[in-house]
Structures are given as C-alpha cells and as structure tokens.
Amino acid sequence: MPHEFKTVCVVGLGYIGLPTAATLASAGFAVKGADVDPDIVDELNEGRAHFPEPDLDMLVRGAVNSGRLEALSEPQPADAFVITVPTPIREDKSPDMSFVEAATRSVAPILEPGNLVILESTSPVGATDNMAAIIREVRPDLVEDDTLQVAVAYCPERILPGQMVRELVQNDRIVGGLTAADAERARDLYQSFVRGEIHLTDAKTAELVKLIENAYRDVNIAFANEVANIGEAHRLNPWEAIDLANRHPRVNILNPGPGVGGHCIAVDPWFLISADGELTGLMAEARRVNDGRPETVIAKIRSASAERGSRKVACLGLAFKPNVDDLRESPAVDIAIGLAAEGFEVCAVEPHVNALPEKLWRHDNIRLAGFDEAMAKSDIVVLLVGHKAFVKRKGDVGDKVVIDAVGLWREPSRAA
Ligand SMILES: NC(=O)c1ccc[n+]([C@@H]2O[C@H](COP(=O)([O-])OP(=O)(O)OC[C@H]3O[C@@H](n4cnc5c(N)ncnc54)[C@H](O)[C@@H]3O)[C@@H](O)[C@H]2O)c1
C-alpha cells in the first residue's frame, strides 16, 4: 500500500460508516468497525449489510471473509480513525453533537502519537476544533509545545443512497485539516481508494462546504416550490411555466414537489441557521417554504374532497424520494398522517415496502394497498413520489380526481 496507514477504525457503522469500512477493507486496510448497536455488529460479522444498498452486501461479505473487516462494540487501536456517527438536529433545530462527542471520548483513550482522526459526520462549523479540544482534554500527554501529536481533519461525505458503493470511490473529496500537514495526512488515507479529485483546505472551510452544498439545494428546491405555490394560486400549471422558463439559456428551475425529506437537505441548513440567524434569512425562508408544502398538498386534497363529496384518498408513494424504500423524514408520510388525522380513508401505495412503519399503521384509517386495490377503493388520487413504478399508471386511474404533487403525470408542455 502506497501510504503509512495499515489499520483503520471506523466509528459508527450506519449508512456512511458501513460502506466506508467495507471500501477501506477492500482497498487493503485492516479495518475495525465500532458501533454501539449490537445487532449491527453481529450482522456485519456474519458478512451482511444491515440496510439494502446495491453491491454493499457483496462488498461487506468479501471484506469480512478476507479477514480485513471486523465489527466490535468499542473502538480499537488503529493508525487512523474515521468518525461517522449521527448528527441530528434537536427539537429547537440546534445541532445535536452528543454522538460526535461520545465517539471522540471513546477514541481519545486509545490514541497514540502519530495517529490520524477524521470526522466525516455533517457538522457545524467549528466541530473539528471541538473534537481536537476534547482529545486535548482527555489526553494532555498527547500535547507537546501546545501541538497535538495526533492529526485531526474533517472530510464530509457526499454519497447518494442507491449509488453509495460507486460514489465512495468516484466522487471528489474535500479534506480540511486543522493544520496543512493534517490535511495532507488525511489525503494520504483517501487517495488509497478515491478515484475522484481530493481538494485540500482547512477544517472549518470543509465543514462549511458540506453545509452550503445542501443549503444550496434546499434554497433552489424552495424556489421551485414557491413557483408551484404561485402557479396553483392562479390555477396555472407550474410545470408548464417552469418548462418554458427553462428554455432561457441561463435558467434552470428545479422540480417542485410535496416538500423536502430525508435527513440531509432538510436538516443541514439548520446547522447554519441556528449558528448565524441574522445572516441566514434566505436559508430560513427556504426551510419555511419547503416545510409548508405538505400542508399545501393537504389543502388541495381537502378542496378536491369537498367538490367530489368523498374522503377516500389513494396516496401514491411514501418514500422521501423516488425509487428508494426509505420512509424516514418523508413529506409523503406527513401528508398521509395529516389526512388520517382529518378522518380521510387513506390507501397508501408504496411498492418499495412490505409493511407500514408504526407511525402510519397505528392510524386505523391508513392501510398499505397495491395500486389496483387503492384505485378500487378511492375517489381521489394523490401522486406524492415519482417512483418509476407509477410512470405508466396514469391511464389506470379512471375518472378519479388526480392531484399530482410531483409532476410525474403532467401533460407534455406546450414548449416540448
Ligand atoms: N446517510 C446519508 O446519505 C449521508 C450522506 C452524507 C452525510 N451523512 C452524514 O453522515 C453522518 C452519519 O450518517 P448515517 O446516515 O451513516 O447515520 P446512521 O444513523 O445510519 O449511522 C450512524 C451509526 O452510528 C452509531 N453510533 C452512534 N453513536 C455511536 C458511538 N458513540 N460510537 C459508535 N457508534 C455510534 C449508530 O448506532 C449508527 O449505527 C451524519 O452526520 C449524516 O448527516 C449522511
């Protein structure tokens, strides 16, 4: 291996940590993965990934069978440590850094001079400094002439669920060190498996980069959603207006939808907003617009219901984005629950899951149904997720009222 690192410990084996650990192992490192969840540890040691992701099971099985990947409940000594634990937001929208702090405190006692510690979790600006401060506090013996004898860096993750195994290798990486030398040490680790370019900077800039990437996406989606709000208020087709506007050589408006879900785009802007409220009015407004979309869709369903004289609704799609089975933080789920709370009879059609999560099945008036059953039992059809499975079903809805919140079934634009 063309670098000094032989062993790596990955702390947190979730959506990011597990593919990272398996990729490092297949690049030749001896990898120890640590996770506080014993089920994840057991499943990994049996050679299986604990969530579905193309090619991940194969990668994990190969890494475990080769003896280069092993999971444990606590971090183990290594040349390099990669921290990939959750960084959710609290009720008040401030970042919850308790997992990063706990992970850092679990790593600090086993550090040796010359080790490298990388934070990959999406974090507020200054988090890597805080991590180094914890290491200094726990291990004053690792500080010489006020210099920490451990390299510390921040490297945000940008992989897309559904393409994680490929993107881990192919994406460009941003590596920010607490010092320039720390950044170079971290680059040495990544360059052993990353084929994309590796861009070096300081840790705070790298933290900011990750946050502005997702805030940028959120603001742009909010613009499209605001266009949809305007179009709908004037009974104009926003999809057609957007198609026509995008004929301008320097305009590229995104697709409106029923809201922004997932645990990145809808969450990460808050890391900036909660730190610098006066400087982030645009981002805060984008969050407000996007968070308001589910209620806008429910209002349309209410008025369709009054016109049609029926409260039987088919919700097509529950996932937070097309063609995945992930229902967490999904605006489609919020809409289904909102409808149930108002007494609508909801047939939820989600071809990517076999069962509803508890927050849905505990409502007696929400049931999971196949497409045909939902059509037979509903008068109003709401398209909430642009799954491929729904593309060709427009002709199968008969005379029902259709509310297409994602534009999947929109008429071809007159611009086309
Ligand atoms: N999932 C994504 O698509 C994605 C993309 C880019 C960035 N991120 C960021 O990456 C980070 C991790 O996200 P994720 O989706 O992998 O989260 P996750 O919840 O899937 O996994 C985190 C894992 O960390 C474990 N954990 C928690 N505290 C621990 C501790 N002290 N020691 C050891 N293990 C611990 C949990 O048990 C869990 O298995 C977050 O900051 C997230 O914002 C995620």
Side-chain angles (χ1 to χ4, degrees):
M1 279 183 287
H3 48 74
E4 61 187 293
F5 304 106
K6 290 191 169 54
T7 54
V8 184
C9 177
V10 178
V11 185
L13 296 171
Y15 283 84
I16 297 298
L18 180 57
T20 302
T23 301
L24 284 162
S26 67
F29 296 96
V31 180
K32 304 288 186 204
D35 203 292
V36 290
D37 182 335
D39 292 341
I40 291 180
V41 170
D42 290 346
E43 205 159 345
L44 175 61
N45 286 331
E46 283 162 19
R48 290 193 311 273
H50 62 89
F51 59 94
E53 174 66 28
D55 301 328
L56 184 59
D57 252 330
M58 202 172 62
L59 193 70
V60 167
R61 198 166 45 245
V64 171
N65 288 345
S66 72
R68 285 199 295 271
L69 176 58
E70 186 193 359
L72 301 112
S73 57
E74 284 176 9
Q76 304 298 309
D79 300 324
F81 294 81
V82 180
I83 295 180
T84 50
V85 294
T87 47
I89 46 172
R90 297 194 178 91
E91 197 81 357
D92 68 355
K93 310 290 187 192
S94 65
D96 177 357
M97 295 302 287
S98 59
F99 298 94
V100 172
E101 184 175 337
T104 309
R105 288 190 185 279
S106 70
V107 161
I110 54 173
L111 288 174
E112 287 173 18
N115 282 172
L116 165 68
V117 183
I118 297 171
L119 177 61
E120 283 201 6
S121 303
T122 304
S123 295
V125 175
T128 313
D129 277 314
N130 292 344
M131 203 169 81
I134 292 172
I135 297 172
R136 281 170 178 262
E137 173 209 314
V138 179
R139 294 291 304 277
D141 59 304
L142 287 174
V143 182
E144 251 177 48
D145 297 332
D146 202 35
T147 304
L148 191 59
Q149 300 305 301
V150 167
V152 180
Y154 181 74
C155 180
E157 189 47 81
R158 298 158 149 175
I159 54 180
L160 186 71
Q163 300 185 29
M164 288 179 154
V165 172
R166 185 179 62 76
E167 289 203 355
L168 249 170
V169 173
Q170 288 183 356
N171 285 357
D172 281 11
R173 299 297 295 243
I174 311 298
V175 174
L178 282 192
T179 67
D182 290 356
E184 282 168 18
R185 301 249 357 255
R187 181 204 39 216
D188 291 346
L189 180 68
Y190 286 105
Q191 93 186 349
S192 59
F193 66 94
V194 169
R195 301 280 159 269
E197 275 187 56
I198 300 174
H199 307 272
L200 300 195
T201 181
D202 58 90
K204 282 186 176 152
T205 304
E207 289 157 351
L208 181 63
V209 168
K210 172 67 191 178
L211 299 178
I212 59 174
E213 285 169 3
N214 281 344
Y216 171 85
R217 307 243 310 125
D218 199 41
V219 167
N220 280 278
I221 295 167
F223 184 83
N225 282 336
E226 197 158 278
V227 171
N229 290 342
I230 298 166
E232 286 158 7
H234 290 273
R235 294 191 174 273
L236 294 170
N237 178 347
W239 308 99
E240 182 178 15
I242 289 172
D243 275 353
L244 289 167
N246 284 346
R247 300 288 154 144
H248 184 294
R250 287 169 294 283
V251 171
N252 186 14
I253 303 171
L254 301 179
N255 281 334
V260 173
H263 18 264
C264 292
I265 296 178
V267 170
D268 300 352
W270 288 112
F271 288 40
L272 293 167
I273 299 165
S274 64
D276 287 298
E278 285 182 10
L279 304 177
T280 48
L282 180 64
M283 292 178 197
E285 189 56 18
R287 283 282 69 243
R288 194 190 64 75
V289 170
N290 289 335
D291 281 350
R293 282 293 289 171
E295 177 49 36
T296 309
V297 175
I298 291 175
K300 286 179 81 174
I301 298 166
R302 258 183 231 124
S303 63
S305 156
E307 270 174 40
R308 183 72 178 230
S310 166
R311 294 177 70 74
K312 294 181 179 167
V313 181
C315 287
L316 303 187
L318 291 172
F320 86 89
K321 65 175 194 167
N323 309 316
V324 299
D325 65 351
D326 193 345
L327 310 192
R328 294 175 303 167
E329 324 296 335
S330 167
V333 167
D334 291 343
I335 290 167
I337 291 173
L339 291 172
E342 293 186 22
F344 284 88
E345 287 298 320
V346 179
C347 274
V349 182
E350 178 43 79
H352 297 275
V353 303
N354 298 321
L356 292 178
E358 203 230 326
K359 68 194 278 200
L360 286 164
W361 65 245
R362 69 171 175 232
H363 295 271
D364 291 343
N365 48 348
I366 302 182
R367 56 197 306 270
L368 189 63
F371 187 95
D372 295 328
E373 182 191 352
M375 291 308 116
K377 292 191 170 151
S378 311
D379 297 305
I380 299 161
V381 177
V382 195
L383 192 49
L384 294 174
V385 186
H387 286 318
K388 277 189 198 132
F390 299 144
V391 173
K392 296 202 171 126
R393 305 302 307 260
K394 185 181 176 184
D396 300 329
V397 298
D399 66 345
K400 294 169 206 328
V401 182
V402 175
I403 296 169
D404 179 357
V406 289
L408 191 72
W409 289 345
R410 65 184 184 268
E411 294 300 322
S413 159
R414 281 172 278 181

